Every structure is written in C-alpha cells, then in structure tokens.
Amino acid sequence: MKEFGFYNDFDENLILNEQIEINGEGNYLVSNSPKLKASVVAPEINFYLKNTADSVLDKAKNTLLLYEARASAFDLARDIDYEKPVGKNVVIVSNGGRENLANLLKEKGFKTIELTHFEIKFIYGAAGELSVLVLRPDGEFEVDCDFFLVENAREYMLKQSGCYEIAGKSDDEIAALLDAQSPKFKFKSHVHYDSTICQYHERRHEICGRCVEACPTVAILKEDETKHLVFSHIDCINCGGCVSVCPSGALDYSDMPRNSFAQIAKLYRGRIALVVPAKANLENLSVNLPANVLPFAISGERFLSETHLLTLLQESGAQVVIYEKNIGKGTKDAVDILNQIYELKFNEKAVLVAPNEDKLKSALSQAKFIEGSQHSVTEYALPKREIFAKRLEWLVDGQNLGSVSTTELIRYGRVEINRDTCTLCLSCVGACNVAALVADKKTNSILFNPSVCTACGYCELSCAEKDTIFLRPGKIDLEPSFFTFSELARDELFACIECGKEFATKKAVEKIASIMEPRFNGDKAKIKALYCCSDCKAKVMIKAQMDQMREEVLNG
C-alpha cells in the first residue's frame, strides 16, 4: 500500500510534496478524494487547497501536514470493526405518502410493514433484532424487524441502531442506505473504557453517571445492582459526548485517543487550528481561510474536553476555532472555562465557536496567535486530569491570576480533614481513584492535590469516622499552591509494647482500645494484646491460655 495519494481535478498548477502521489493508481493509506482507493479519505485537504490564502510553498508544507495528521490518527486509533448478520424485514412509520418507498424496497427483496405514528407504543432491541410494540384496537402485539424507518420520529424512536429518520430523504437514498447495511450490519467501537478510574464502577454509592446521561442512544447503560457500565457498541452513533463529560478520563475516544490527539496537535505548531467534524459538508462550505489557518479534522463532534482543547491551544500557540452547530455540553463547559482562563492570563479568548458559515467567517477573521502561549508537554500515559493540571500549572507560571468558576460537568473540590478525629485509616485514600488524595508513608500523613480532584465526594462517603472529612465544592485557583500536595492529616506510629515494632498509627490504636477495653471486663491479656503487633498479639494470647491451663492443672 502506498501512503499518500492525491486526485487532482481542479488545479493544473498545483505543487505538492514529493511524498504525495498525484493521480496515481493502486491503494493508498490517505487520499483527498473517494475517487482514489484509500483507507482514509480526507475531504479537508481539498477544502484547504481551494480556500487558503497561504503561499505556494506553505500550501505544499501544510498539505503534507494534513496527510500526516490523518495517517497518525489512523495508526493510533483503537476502534475495532464489527459486523452482524441482518435480514430484510423493514417497518416503515409515517402518516401516509411513503407507498413508493415500500414498493421500491420490495423490488429489492425487502419485506415491509407500514404503520402510523399512532400505532407505535415503543421500540427496543438493535439492528437485526428490533421489536416494535404496536397498538391496535384489539390489543398490543410485537412486530420483529431488522430496520425501523420513521418519518418525523419522536426522540425515543431513534435510540437503537437500525432506526432511521427518513423525513427529507428520497426513496433512492433510503434504499441505498439499507442496501449498504445488509446482509451485514457494520459498526465500530468508538469508545474504550478503563474501569479502574471510573467513578461509577463498583462504588457503594452512585456518585457519577454522566456518560449515561450524555449518551443520546442506549449505547451506555448503568447496571445499578453491580454498579457496572454496560456498553452496546452497535447502538453508538459516534458523537463522543460521553468522553467529554467523563471527569476522570475513564472513557477515551477510540477514533482519536488522547495520545493520538496530542501527537496530531504538535503538528499544528505555528498554525491556527480550525476544528471541523466529519459531518461538516466541507465541499459546500464557502469561506476564505486566512494564511496559517489549517483544518483539524475529527470524527465525533462532541468528544473534545478541556484537556483536548488546552493541548491544542498550547501546542499551536494560537486560538482555536470550532465549526460546529451543536457542540456537546461537556465541550461547551470546556470552552467556557478555557475562555475564562485565557482572559485572565492573556486578555484574549481561547476558543471561538462558529455554529454557522457567517459566524465561521467572523471567527476566522478574528483568530490569531497568542504570544507566550505555546508550550509542549509529554502526555504519554498521564490521566486526563493530570494532563490538564500539568499544562495549566505551566500557564500560571508562579503567578496568582485569580479563580475560575467550575461547571456542572467540570468540577473541582477542596477536601478538609479534622486532624483530631482522623485515625489515618486511609479509607479516603483508597476511595480516591484519581490520586488527589495520597498517603505519604515517610511522614505518616495524608496529602491532597486540588488540581486533580473531581469533587466526586466518595472520600467523604468512605470515611469511617463521624464529622472527619469534608468536601467543599471549589474553583480552579490559578495560583501555584493549587497544583501541589498539601498535608491534611498526620499521626505518629505506635510501637508494639512487646517487641517495639511500629505497626499502626497512634490514634488508630487508641481508638480501637477505647472501644474494646470496656468489653474485655478487665482481662489483662486481651487488653494488652490491643497494644501489640499481630505477631506479639498471638503470643500474648497463647501465653495467657497456657498460663490458665497450667493454673487449672495445679489447682486441679
């Protein structure tokens, strides 16, 4: 397979890098047009070449960069292809007027049933095994089908795979869609999941479920009894909304994982990134691209989080423009927070969102480089919050810039511990799966870093002591101490009264002793064992039993 191919049908004088083969034959990794056989088709290449104000030399450099960006995304993607056999049974729901569609589908071998909106009660299942609950005067019954076509669908009707809105589509377009989806229904896994840092997974209390709330389909569901997330990749529509709202980074976008995004972002140094989702119709988008503006192609339009955007902002050293009508709630909150931060630091907005063509033209005319904002970070293997904290700490640069309010989806908190009642049992540390709370064995203390705290509150729920640990909803404090660990509690170690080995904290031993001593009714051995390590505890109790047996023999 060749790497880069270019189909040129619009500019005879175009000069490209020698790594790009023009109007060649064979298979390519990346091409600019579906007229060449390629694993990846990148329409943003033609969009850039037709609209840019860059010089001939810069055009050649930037076009190669766009190919390299797509190649990196392909190489580092973690999506997996699946396929499922499906039949040709179709339910068509409309209030009349789609008889021609039904006839066309029958000619193509599909079996159709036509129903009205008033007859549909519910639908469940997935492509190839859908069940439609139908209402009739004589009762309810189920209709099984492989595909469900509906005109002017209600929201619940499009949550399952194999369900399609057909309003505004021609009969031929719909028939072509079904032909492409049968007899094999193809789909991908667009997200991957790390349960070890998930703030829903196997928690005793439900403290998070934002991904389920953000999912517009049934691709992610909660199993409340076990506190497990259940993924249905066939129902995923590849919007990425679950990724942007995940506080810990347990969910990542498989089409462009965080490490892939960071690597591609580095290519945009000295350029202004125009983020364009795959669904954008670039062929019909008529805008002039100022010099140094380069499209940044993404698949899902809603996966961008505050970490993604700050990475792109710093690696490029420029404002970022997003062309998207309906950005996700997580992305919107990220844009709001980053704009607040950049206003405080640089007196400039960070991200310009353009929901339509006119707004895009305006944003492109305003977008610029921000002096002193370019910075590179090695993000490999770092969690989402740590990447953001590391980049933000560099931006703060030892200054006190003030505070930024957090949002419903991007939350931070401050943990406080009552030193008098804390026994350093470390339940709170074990409960924190983002390492905001850690134990320092050298100093026998609990440390807290607010820059990675997600304010989930599980530390508070896990504490065994009453009125000991408190979570206060916080802000992002743009000052140095926000990014460092501070001590919340400390205790000295207690030495075994028999062998002198340190085995627990003093407060923990005293707390247990205060509870158990009254129950031992003056039993000296049991009371003594409370202050012994595990080895000596056994020796003390065995000795007490032997002494008792010896005494019984002597007195027998």
Side-chain angles (χ1 to χ4, degrees):
M1 179 188 290
K2 302 174 186 178
E3 196 164 26
F4 303 144
F6 185 87
Y7 185 82
N8 189 4
D9 60 354
F10 62 87
D11 187 350
E12 294 180 357
N13 300 315
L14 184 65
I15 298 174
L16 296 178
N17 187 283
E18 61 183 10
Q19 296 181 51
I20 304 170
E21 185 174 84
I22 300 177
N23 292 340
E25 295 181 354
N27 296 322
Y28 298 92
L29 175 60
V30 183
S31 80
N32 66 313
S33 169
K35 293 180 180 179
L36 294 179
K37 294 180 180 179
S39 299
V40 179
V41 176
E44 71 274 10
I45 294 173
N46 284 356
F47 170 69
Y48 165 73
L49 289 171
K50 290 178 180 179
N51 296 285
T52 185
D54 281 332
S55 66
V56 173
L57 180 59
D58 285 339
K59 273 187 183 181
K61 290 180 179 178
N62 287 335
T63 303
L64 179 61
L65 185 154
L66 291 174
Y67 275 96
E68 290 174 340
R70 281 293 191 140
S72 292
F74 180 84
D75 290 340
L76 297 174
R78 295 182 60 183
D79 55 329
I80 300 173
D81 293 311
Y82 299 94
E83 62 179 27
K84 173 184 178 180
V86 296
K88 288 181 171 287
N89 299 307
V90 181
V91 167
I92 302 174
V93 179
S94 70
N95 289 326
R98 300 313 297 241
E99 294 85 359
N100 291 339
L101 171 61
N103 292 332
L104 176 60
L105 293 179
K106 288 175 183 176
E107 291 174 8
K108 290 179 170 289
F110 290 92
K111 298 177 181 178
T112 64
I113 297 176
E114 297 178 67
L115 299 170
T116 67
H117 276 278
F118 302 107
E119 295 175 297
I120 306 300
K121 182 176 182 180
F122 201 69
I123 179 169
Y124 60 93
E129 48 186 350
L130 292 166
S131 293
V132 183
L133 192 58
V134 178
L135 297 173
R136 287 286 171 84
D138 54 344
E140 299 179 0
F141 63 94
E142 288 189 0
V143 173
D144 295 331
C145 61
D146 299 284
F147 298 100
F148 181 79
L149 307 179
V150 57
E151 197 167 45
N152 301 316
R154 298 182 180 92
E155 184 180 352
Y156 77 87
M157 293 179 171
L158 300 177
K159 287 184 176 290
Q160 279 77 18
S161 56
C163 301
Y164 301 103
E165 171 63 72
I166 60 174
K169 291 184 171 63
S170 70
D171 295 345
D172 288 335
E173 287 176 326
I174 298 166
L177 171 65
L178 295 191
D179 279 338
Q181 298 283 27
S182 60
K184 298 287 186 181
F185 187 89
K186 296 181 179 180
F187 59 100
K188 290 186 175 186
S189 59
H190 293 292
V191 296
H192 55 275
Y193 172 59
D194 180 359
S195 64
T196 63
I197 57 172
C198 174
Q199 298 191 329
Y200 174 79
H201 183 74
E202 296 184 355
R203 300 292 204 180
R204 294 188 303 277
H205 305 272
E206 182 173 331
I207 58 172
C208 189
R210 298 178 206 172
C211 56
V212 177
E213 295 164 5
C215 182
T217 67
V218 291
I220 309 178
L221 297 174
K222 294 183 294 186
E223 176 53 67
D224 288 332
E225 186 173 339
T226 61
K227 293 294 189 296
H228 285 184
L229 292 178
V230 180
F231 294 87
S232 175
H233 294 300
I234 194 172
D235 292 309
C236 178
I237 60 172
N238 191 23
C239 70
C242 57
V243 175
S244 66
V245 302
C246 179
S248 66
L251 287 174
D252 201 0
Y253 188 56
S254 299
D255 297 47
M256 189 179 284
R258 279 188 293 275
N259 65 319
S260 170
F261 187 93
Q263 182 169 311
I264 295 168
K266 291 180 185 297
L267 297 174
Y268 282 73
R269 181 171 183 174
R271 294 158 177 97
I272 297 171
L274 166 59
V275 178
V276 285
K279 70 176 187 179
N281 189 352
L282 295 180
E283 189 174 340
N284 296 324
L285 184 60
S286 178
V287 295
N288 295 320
L289 297 178
N292 298 313
V293 172
L294 203 59
F296 187 113
I298 60 174
S299 297
E301 70 277 10
R302 297 185 176 187
F303 79 92
L304 296 174
S305 67
E306 68 278 12
T307 303
H308 292 101
L309 291 175
L310 186 56
T311 294
L312 186 52
L313 284 161
Q314 290 190 342
E315 294 294 345
S316 66
Q319 291 175 315
V320 170
V321 179
I322 300 177
Y323 177 54
E324 170 56 37
K325 181 179 180 180
N326 297 308
I327 63 172
K329 185 68 167 64
T331 303
K332 181 182 182 302
D333 283 5
V335 169
D336 290 344
I337 281 179
L338 287 169
N339 280 343
Q340 290 182 63
I341 292 170
Y342 266 57
E343 288 279 6
L344 290 171
K345 175 69 176 182
F346 302 109
N347 201 29
E348 298 283 358
K349 281 190 173 182
V351 183
L352 307 175
V353 178
N356 55 49
E357 190 170 319
D358 288 338
K359 295 286 187 182
L360 177 58
K361 291 176 181 177
S362 175
L364 290 173
S365 68
Q366 299 173 44
K368 58 187 175 182
F369 294 96
I370 299 178
E371 185 177 352
S373 68
Q374 198 284 324
H375 179 59
S376 286
V377 168
T378 301
E379 297 185 358
Y380 183 74
L382 287 177
K384 174 182 176 179
R385 272 288 168 104
E386 287 190 34
I387 295 170
F388 189 70
K390 192 173 182 180
R391 288 188 172 278
L392 203 55
E393 184 178 16
W394 175 86
L395 185 148
V396 169
D397 191 27
Q399 299 175 284
N400 188 341
L401 301 175
S403 298
V404 170
S405 299
T406 55
T407 66
E408 177 189 354
L409 295 176
I410 304 174
R411 295 185 297 180
Y412 284 80
R414 290 277 186 174
V415 173
E416 300 172 2
I417 292 179
N418 184 337
R419 290 173 178 259
D420 294 331
T421 56
C422 175
T423 62
L424 253 75
C425 69
L426 304 185
S427 292
C428 57
V429 173
C432 182
N433 61 4
V434 293
L437 285 167
V438 298
D440 187 337
K441 294 182 179 179
K442 293 181 180 179
T443 60
N444 303 309
S445 60
I446 296 173
L447 307 179
F448 173 66
N449 184 340
S451 70
V452 292
C453 176
T454 63
C456 72
Y458 199 52
C459 57
E460 196 174 29
L461 293 169
S462 300
C463 181
E465 305 300 328
K466 184 179 180 182
D467 297 330
T468 294
I469 188 167
F470 309 93
L471 173 70
R472 313 295 187 194
K475 298 181 178 181
I476 299 175
D477 297 319
L478 301 175
E479 48 89 15
S481 67
F482 184 72
F483 305 97
T484 59
F485 281 96
S486 60
E487 184 180 286
L488 298 186
R490 176 196 287 255
D491 196 7
E492 59 185 277
L493 290 179
F494 185 89
C496 173
I497 60 174
E498 282 287 294
C499 69
K501 182 175 72 174
E502 294 175 333
F503 69 96
T505 62
K506 182 179 179 182
K507 287 180 181 176
V509 173
E510 291 174 346
K511 176 69 180 290
I512 294 171
S514 68
I515 296 172
M516 300 305 297
E517 276 193 33
R519 301 184 182 186
F520 290 162
N521 297 319
D523 188 316
K524 293 181 179 180
K526 289 183 179 180
I527 293 172
K528 182 179 181 180
L530 292 172
Y531 300 92
C532 294
C533 67
S534 57
D535 292 334
C536 293
K537 191 187 300 287
K539 293 177 182 178
V540 167
M541 295 308 299
I542 291 172
K543 183 178 182 301
Q545 289 178 353
M546 292 182 66
D547 288 346
Q548 183 180 357
M549 291 171 61
R550 187 179 299 110
E551 186 176 345
E552 290 175 355
V553 170
L554 293 174
N555 296 331

